Amino acid sequence: MSKIIDDHFNGLDLDIRKKNIGTFMDQKVTPDVVSGVAECILEYLSENEEPFTINDIRYFEYSNQLVKEVFNKPDVQKAENEYDKFFSQPIKMLAYAGILEEDLTKRPYKYSVSNNAVLEFIGIRERNAVTFLYKYLEKLSSDSNIKILFDEFFITQNRAGYERLKTRFIDFIIENTPKNDPVDISRIFTKIINPLAYKEKKFGTRRGRISQTVISLDELYYNRPNWRDINKDKSLTREEAKALFDDVVENKNFFKYQVTKAKKFVRKLQPFSEIHRFEQYPGLQAHHIFMESEFPQIADLPENIIILTPNQHFFRAHPNNKTSVIDEKYQAICLISKLDSIEINNRSGENDYSLEDFINVLNTGFETEHFNTGMDYEEVKHQIINHTYARA
């Protein structure tokens, strides 16, 4: 699916020097906010016609629910100044990137969708928005002839290299856009360097200085999902991990939203049962291979969700329709079938799934550290069978 982004950017010119506008990036342009705003636009257009204004999206009821329940913020009507940027900055960036078309002939500015496929790609999953932002920033920096500045820093990962990059970036923005506040530009710099650093597995920036470790995925988000840190402590028992999950997850609505979004994402990828893979077996059920109630810390990973028919879900995965029980032998079939889906997807060049995340699912669900990314697909399948029958 990421190929649609490459196709979109082919032929576009995102050179900052030619545009003379400063809306190409901003503080609220993070993967989860961009994905959420894209989702709000799509929901709005499912009920309304184009064009739309920023306020149309901002005051749309779906948007209000999103910011209150998912981003854990006050009602949009009660925090107007705070949420003006929340919606306007991602929309402005999407317009600069050519995903939206912006009509500036009169106020309020009007917007329409130029590339619905990319907007849907962004809206369905935060990780898709990470991919989009990385490709967008690569294209932007390359067209603007400043990519070499970032490339030099990624080779020379030290404080002097960082300060040189930051100074040259600020000077470039002041010279070529209406922005002239170094503090404001520094905030934008963070939103550009860290997605690039994450994809390159390099140091980026933290608190205005060079980071001392490689930038992690969760640092890119506005809402940092703290429950994923639970997986890093392998000394915890399953019961301890569940108890810790209940303690650390303050925003349960955000967690539920992430799980729902992951299910929607897998349904879009897999219209038929992932075990049968034929049209006569439509996939109507999104099933957690390792149960959400037992392993909530991996419940929002698409690699732990498989599409089944109702019969497969309620009579095989959960024997006799007891949804609190898992058939461990059928669970192994689900895991192997999910790995097939991941392999097929990755070999086609789509990369919608992460093999590393699937390995994390296996180690968490089987309560082991045995699985690793050095294994080939056949070895992973072999070890799934071994672990299943070792528990029998």
Side-chain angles (χ1 to χ4, degrees):
M1 288 176 70
S2 61
K3 184 177 181 296
I4 63 173
I5 300 176
D6 296 327
D7 292 342
H8 171 77
F9 284 132
N10 283 339
L12 279 186
D13 186 355
L14 302 181
D15 191 342
I16 294 169
R17 297 167 297 181
K18 297 177 183 178
K19 304 280 187 177
N20 194 34
I21 55 177
T23 58
F24 57 90
M25 200 66 182
D26 227 315
Q27 284 181 269
K28 295 295 190 292
V29 181
T30 62
D32 49 340
V33 174
V34 170
S35 182
V37 170
E39 186 179 357
C40 290
I41 293 170
L42 292 165
E43 288 290 334
Y44 176 85
L45 293 178
S46 70
E47 301 177 14
N48 302 275
E49 294 184 356
E50 297 179 283
F52 59 88
T53 68
I54 290 173
N55 279 344
D56 286 335
I57 305 302
R58 182 178 164 195
Y59 295 115
F60 183 48
E61 180 57 30
Y62 187 91
S63 304
N64 198 14
Q65 290 299 114
L66 184 78
V67 295
K68 282 197 303 181
E69 296 184 3
V70 176
F71 289 92
N72 210 25
K73 300 296 183 183
D75 189 288
V76 173
Q77 303 278 357
K78 297 177 182 178
E80 294 200 12
N81 291 333
E82 183 177 355
Y83 286 110
D84 177 49
K85 293 178 180 179
F86 188 94
F87 290 100
S88 65
Q89 290 180 358
I91 287 174
K92 287 284 188 180
M93 181 278 298
L94 290 170
Y96 191 97
I99 309 304
L100 302 177
E101 183 176 342
E102 188 177 41
D103 181 359
L104 303 177
T105 55
K106 62 179 181 179
R107 291 182 180 274
Y109 298 153
K110 298 288 198 330
Y111 296 86
S112 55
V113 178
S114 297
N115 193 322
N116 194 70
V118 174
L119 191 66
E120 288 185 346
F121 176 82
I122 296 168
I124 200 169
R125 190 187 185 196
E126 285 83 358
R127 288 287 283 269
N128 287 3
V130 173
T131 300
F132 167 77
L133 285 173
Y134 171 70
K135 289 178 179 289
Y136 167 65
L137 293 172
E138 265 212 323
K139 173 70 172 171
L140 180 85
S141 60
S142 178
D143 288 355
S144 304
N145 201 30
I146 56 172
K147 186 175 183 294
I148 187 172
L149 306 182
F150 291 93
D151 290 343
E152 287 175 355
F153 168 66
F154 292 146
I155 294 171
T156 309
Q157 293 261 273
N158 57 37
R159 181 178 176 182
Y162 171 81
E163 294 297 340
R164 183 168 57 250
L165 166 62
K166 188 174 181 180
T167 298
R168 292 167 74 182
F169 176 83
I170 291 172
D171 291 344
F172 175 85
I173 297 302
I174 291 174
E175 182 179 347
N176 293 284
T177 77
K179 292 183 177 293
N180 55 22
D181 181 358
V183 175
D184 181 45
I185 297 170
S186 295
R187 296 188 186 106
I188 297 170
F189 173 72
T190 298
K191 301 304 180 184
I192 293 177
I193 187 176
N194 280 353
L196 295 173
Y198 164 71
K199 293 302 286 188
E200 296 292 331
K201 296 181 171 58
K202 298 288 186 178
F203 296 171
T205 184
R206 293 190 188 107
R207 293 179 290 277
R209 300 180 179 88
I210 184 173
S211 66
Q212 298 303 303
T213 57
V214 169
I215 295 298
S216 61
L217 178 61
D218 66 333
E219 291 181 84
L220 306 183
Y221 292 127
Y222 181 85
N223 251 348
R224 294 179 66 170
N226 53 2
W227 63 82
R228 295 191 185 123
D229 291 336
I230 295 170
N231 289 348
K232 296 175 184 177
D233 189 346
K234 302 300 182 183
S235 66
L236 295 174
T237 66
R238 186 188 309 182
E239 289 72 21
E240 288 170 338
K242 285 166 61 180
L244 182 58
F245 177 88
D246 288 335
D247 286 341
V248 303
V249 180
E250 298 175 359
N251 187 353
K252 295 297 194 295
N253 287 322
F254 178 50
F255 168 72
K256 291 176 183 177
Y257 170 75
Q258 293 292 92
V259 173
T260 300
K261 203 158 188 174
K263 287 183 176 181
K264 286 172 64 176
F265 174 72
V266 179
R267 283 194 177 100
K268 188 173 180 65
L269 288 179
Q270 316 288 166
F272 309 114
S273 164
E274 291 181 71
I275 291 177
H276 284 305
R277 302 184 190 278
F278 299 116
E279 290 187 23
Q280 60 265 43
Y281 297 102
L284 302 178
Q285 299 289 321
H287 167 66
H288 278 103
I289 305 174
F290 291 104
M291 290 194 297
E292 178 183 343
S293 59
E294 293 293 312
F295 302 96
Q297 66 269 42
I298 55 172
D300 66 327
L301 294 179
E303 293 76 11
N304 186 36
I305 298 170
I306 189 168
I307 299 302
L308 303 175
T309 67
N311 279 345
Q312 289 170 337
H313 188 209
F314 294 118
F315 295 101
R316 294 188 176 179
H318 300 293
N320 300 317
N321 201 17
K322 294 181 179 179
T323 55
S324 61
V325 178
I326 284 283
D327 184 316
E328 292 186 350
K329 305 298 191 300
Y330 199 74
Q331 183 182 63
I333 293 174
C334 289
L335 287 169
I336 290 170
S337 297
K338 189 72 218 183
L339 185 57
D340 281 341
S341 295
I342 294 169
E343 182 177 8
I344 290 167
N345 184 273
N346 287 352
R347 290 192 187 281
S348 71
E350 296 296 342
N351 298 312
D352 295 302
Y353 293 112
S354 164
L355 180 58
E356 183 178 353
D357 282 348
F358 184 71
I359 295 298
N360 177 33
V361 167
L362 293 173
N363 282 329
T364 302
F366 283 128
E367 298 174 288
T368 182
E369 296 182 19
H370 180 77
F371 294 90
N372 64 77
T373 53
M375 296 177 173
D376 60 25
Y377 289 98
E378 184 177 358
E379 175 63 13
V380 174
K381 291 177 184 177
H382 180 67
Q383 294 304 325
I384 288 171
I385 293 170
N386 282 349
H387 276 76
T388 299
Y389 283 90
R391 297 189 299 173

